[in-house]
Amino acid sequence: MAKKLPQSLSVGGGGGRGRASSLSHGGGASSSHGGGAPINMDHQMEVVEQLVLDLRYPVRRERALLELSMKRELFHDLAPLLCNSFGTSTVFLQEIISIYPFLSPPNLTPAQSNRVCNVLALLQVYNFLLDFFSVITNH
C-alpha cells in the first residue's frame, strides 16, 4: 500500500497561510484522543495518499484528478506529496498533451475540459510550492 509519510504533511490548516498545522511533528494533536479528530485526519491523509497513487492508473485517474482538485484547499501539504510522488508530473503532462489534438478545430468535450482543468488546478499547487521555496531561498 502507500508508504507512511511524515506527520509534517498536514491536513487542514497551516501550509504557509498563517494557520497552525493540524498535524504536528511530535506528539501534540496527533497523540491526543480528544474528539477523535486526529484519527479522522490520519484517515483523510490516507485517502489523499491513495488518490495520488491512483493517478498512475488510467482507469482511476479521472476520479483521482477530480477528488484531488476538490481537496487541494483542505490539504495544504498536498504540493510536497505531489512533487515527491513518482510519475505525477509525467501524468500531468500526459493529460495536458492529450487534449492538444482537440483544440484545433475545437472538438474538446466537456469531460476532457473538466479533466484538464483539474490537472491545471493541481499544477497551481506546484506553483505555490515553487513560489514558497523561491521566497525562502532568496531571503
Side-chain angles (χ1 to χ4, degrees):
M1 195 75 144
K3 183 173 101 174
K4 189 69 177 171
L5 294 173
Q7 288 188 342
S8 63
L9 295 176
S10 66
V11 179
R17 298 183 194 247
R19 295 179 290 200
S21 291
S22 297
L23 295 176
S24 62
H25 287 284
S30 62
S31 65
S32 70
H33 295 294
I39 295 169
N40 187 35
M41 287 183 210
D42 287 343
H43 174 71
Q44 290 295 324
M45 192 60 183
E46 288 175 13
V47 169
V48 170
E49 290 170 3
Q50 186 59 52
L51 288 170
V52 171
L53 290 174
D54 286 350
L55 291 172
R56 297 182 196 171
Y57 304 101
V59 295
R60 300 181 191 160
R61 189 174 296 157
E62 186 169 2
R63 183 183 149 281
L65 287 169
L66 176 63
E67 293 291 324
L68 286 169
S69 178
M70 291 187 321
K71 294 176 186 283
R72 72 185 186 278
E73 294 296 323
L74 300 174
F75 294 90
H76 299 291
D77 290 327
L78 181 59
L81 181 61
L82 290 173
C83 289
N84 293 308
S85 298
F86 179 78
T88 303
S89 298
T90 304
V91 166
F92 289 167
L93 291 174
Q94 285 175 340
E95 288 294 322
I96 292 168
I97 291 169
S98 72
I99 62 132
Y100 271 84
F102 300 99
L103 295 178
S104 180
N107 293 323
L108 196 62
T109 67
Q112 290 169 316
S113 176
N114 287 339
R115 191 168 170 148
V116 78
C117 284
N118 289 331
V119 170
L120 294 173
L122 291 171
L123 283 174
Q124 287 178 333
V125 172
Y126 273 18
N127 188 36
F128 175 77
L129 183 67
L130 294 175
D131 287 347
F132 172 74
F133 281 122
S134 77
V135 167
I136 63 171
T137 57
N138 291 330
H139 289 101

